């Protein structure tokens, strides 16, 4: 039965599922190595690194409430596209930034982009899949691929870096 349901997912649901996988894989390719970079290149202390990364994560959680409301008001597509643009810009800053402020801006942008992609993406899947079984399967698949991204992201980061 689940295989038949998978075949019936609209293309947009597959884009959200695979997009979430790609975003989380890229996040986990970079995030574990930020502390090493911040320590070696910018002489940040352990507490400074923890504050920077922790504040970015908390900011992402807090802004998520507003992003959910905003996606209801102006549309999920616009918020998802904004999140993708924000993510691209954040990773460019992380890759090309040569000052602590640019790196910090990239860290905050990366955290914010997750809120702009994750919350409207889940809501869009709920909008497109009216049957409870299909919604649950799509969310399980999304979370599974999110965890796969968390597993393979650091490995790819080590191989590429």
């Amino acid at each position: 039965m689940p295989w038949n349901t998978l075949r019936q997912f609209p293309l947009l649901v597959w884009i959200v599922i695979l997009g979430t996988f790609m975003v989380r894989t890229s996040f986990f390719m970079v995030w574990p190595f930020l502390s090493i970079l911040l320590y070696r290149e910018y002489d940040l202390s352990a507490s400074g690194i923890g504050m920077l990364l922790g504040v970015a994560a908390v900011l992402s959680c807090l802004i998520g409430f507003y992003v959910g409301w905003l996606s209801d008001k102006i549309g999920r597509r616009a918020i998802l596209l904004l999140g993708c643009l924000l993510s691209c810009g954040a990773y460019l800053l992380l890759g090309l930034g040569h000052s602590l402020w640019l790196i910090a801006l990239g860290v905050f942008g990366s955290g914010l982009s997750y809120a702009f992609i994750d919350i409207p993406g889940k809501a869009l899947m709920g909008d497109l899949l009216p049957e409870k079984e299909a919604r649950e399967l799509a969310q399980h698949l999304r979370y599974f691929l999110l965890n796969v991204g968390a597993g393979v992201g650091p490995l790819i980061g080590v191989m590429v870096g």
Side-chain angles (χ1 to χ4, degrees):
M1 184 71 166
W3 294 111
N4 291 335
T5 306
L6 284 175
R7 281 190 231 135
Q8 295 174 357
F9 284 174
L11 179 61
L12 203 47
V13 169
W14 283 110
I15 290 171
V16 168
I17 290 170
L18 295 175
T20 299
F21 170 70
M22 290 178 5
V23 166
R24 295 316 280 174
T25 301
S26 63
F27 174 83
F28 284 108
M29 281 173 55
V30 174
W31 206 257
F33 304 105
L34 277 174
S35 56
I36 297 168
L37 173 82
L38 292 169
Y39 177 75
R40 287 187 182 168
E41 300 293 323
Y42 300 102
D43 287 328
L44 234 59
S45 67
S47 58
I49 294 168
M51 281 291 277
L52 177 64
L53 300 180
V55 167
V58 168
L59 183 63
S60 175
C61 290
L62 293 176
I63 199 79
F65 293 112
Y66 180 69
V67 168
W69 172 82
L70 197 59
S71 76
D72 290 339
K73 292 294 178 194
I74 67 171
R76 311 217 193 287
R77 183 174 190 259
I79 299 298
L80 283 166
L81 290 174
L82 180 62
C84 290
L85 288 173
L86 186 59
S87 182
C88 289
Y91 287 112
L92 280 173
L93 281 175
L94 288 173
L96 301 175
H98 294 294
S99 75
L100 182 58
W101 295 109
L102 290 176
I103 299 293
L105 193 60
V107 167
F108 288 126
S110 172
L112 286 176
S113 70
Y114 182 64
F116 277 78
I117 293 170
D118 185 55
I119 293 164
K122 288 189 282 190
L124 182 64
M125 287 173 38
D127 294 344
L128 295 173
L129 298 168
E131 296 175 13
K132 181 181 178 190
E133 181 181 292
R135 274 193 318 273
E136 287 176 352
L137 183 60
Q139 291 293 352
H140 289 305
L141 181 59
R142 184 185 158 282
Y143 282 117
F144 173 75
L145 289 177
L146 190 147
N147 289 323
V148 169
V152 300
L155 296 173
I156 295 170
V158 166
M159 290 187 324
V160 171

